[in-house]
Amino acid sequence: AVPTVEAKGFALAVEGHVEKKLELALDDLKKMATVTREVTLECAGNGRVFLVPQGRGLQWGNGGVGNAKWTGVPLGAVLERAGVKAGAVDVVLVGADKGAITSDPPSPGPIHFDRGIPLAKARADETLLAWEMNGEPLTAAHGAPLRAVVGGWYGMAAVKWLTRVVVTDRPHAGFWQTMDYSVWDRSGASPQVVPITAIQPKAVITSPELNTVVAAGKKLTVAG
């Protein structure tokens, strides 16, 4: 469920394999060098309704993708302030949303949604901690008061209701990149489970919509 995270009293914890643990209020982040990036977010399950056999999860048609202008601070700048120690590997983004997964495979009780990304991606220009979307403060549904935006990767990495950033000295093997949001990589000698990461190329016609009646003999604009 959507958690309640009030902007007043909010503090982002930056901890783990760092020189200095940080507790940053929203105002602290806004005093840093602010940037705005136009980024595409797409659900990893976009188009899932067309899979045969049917895949589990929300049965997206073509609606699980969009562009927005995100305003915030680069995650790399926050990590620089904390001082990442030598040997750091992953940066784990932890959201306030929490619950137990009862489907197969189940989670080990209630867990927070989190996602680990490699240190290089965390430091990349397209990875932000955002508090505005299209010039307006984030709504609760979009992760207020603070969320991650990881450009070029599927939306599961763009953790909403962000409360903690944890730097680790080993690859993160959380539920949401091993038991879920993961695929079999069969390119090597034996298959391995790997996290879903970069958005794959896809061509989508969004207009006319599915099952639209198209009049004969008239011009029609096709968009996507």
Side-chain angles (χ1 to χ4, degrees):
V2 174
T4 300
V5 185
E6 299 292 345
K8 184 178 181 180
F10 168 82
L12 175 71
V14 184
E15 55 195 328
H17 202 65
V18 295
E19 300 289 348
K20 181 173 60 176
K21 181 178 177 179
L22 302 178
E23 293 279 347
L24 299 171
L26 207 55
D27 285 344
D28 295 328
L29 292 167
K30 290 181 178 180
K31 289 174 184 175
M32 300 176 67
T34 300
V35 298
T36 297
R37 301 270 191 268
E38 187 165 356
V39 175
T40 299
L41 286 187
E42 182 177 20
C43 177
N46 194 29
R48 186 182 284 128
V49 72
F50 305 116
L51 292 178
V52 179
Q54 185 179 25
R56 64 187 177 90
L58 185 63
Q59 297 301 299
W60 282 110
N62 291 327
V65 61
N67 295 324
K69 290 183 178 179
W70 305 93
T71 298
V73 63
L75 174 55
V78 173
L79 295 174
E80 185 176 351
R81 178 177 287 194
V84 176
K85 291 181 180 180
V89 174
D90 274 3
V91 178
V92 184
L93 308 170
V94 185
D97 47 332
K98 183 179 181 180
I101 307 303
T102 57
S103 58
D104 187 25
S107 64
I111 56 173
H112 287 273
F113 184 83
D114 66 20
R115 186 74 185 191
I117 60 177
L119 180 59
K121 185 66 175 178
R123 285 173 163 165
D125 288 344
E126 67 271 16
T127 303
L128 307 179
L129 305 184
W131 53 78
E132 282 188 7
M133 177 183 177
N134 293 330
E136 300 289 341
L138 290 176
T139 61
H142 282 293
L146 187 72
R147 69 171 296 164
V149 176
V150 183
W153 280 28
Y154 285 112
M156 79 277 128
V159 176
K160 299 179 181 180
W161 313 291
L162 191 66
T163 58
R164 295 172 64 214
V165 173
V166 184
V167 181
T168 65
D169 60 358
R170 67 199 67 186
H172 182 57
F175 183 91
W176 300 106
Q177 57 201 81
T178 54
M179 297 295 104
D180 209 344
Y181 295 113
S182 59
V183 294
W184 285 103
D185 178 8
R186 294 179 170 85
S187 61
S190 59
Q192 294 185 6
V193 174
V194 298
I196 292 171
T197 55
I199 295 175
Q200 300 300 300
K202 180 186 292 180
V204 176
I205 294 174
T206 57
S207 177
E209 295 180 356
L210 190 66
N211 299 321
T212 297
V213 176
V214 179
K218 292 187 177 181
K219 289 186 177 180
L220 177 73
T221 298
V222 177

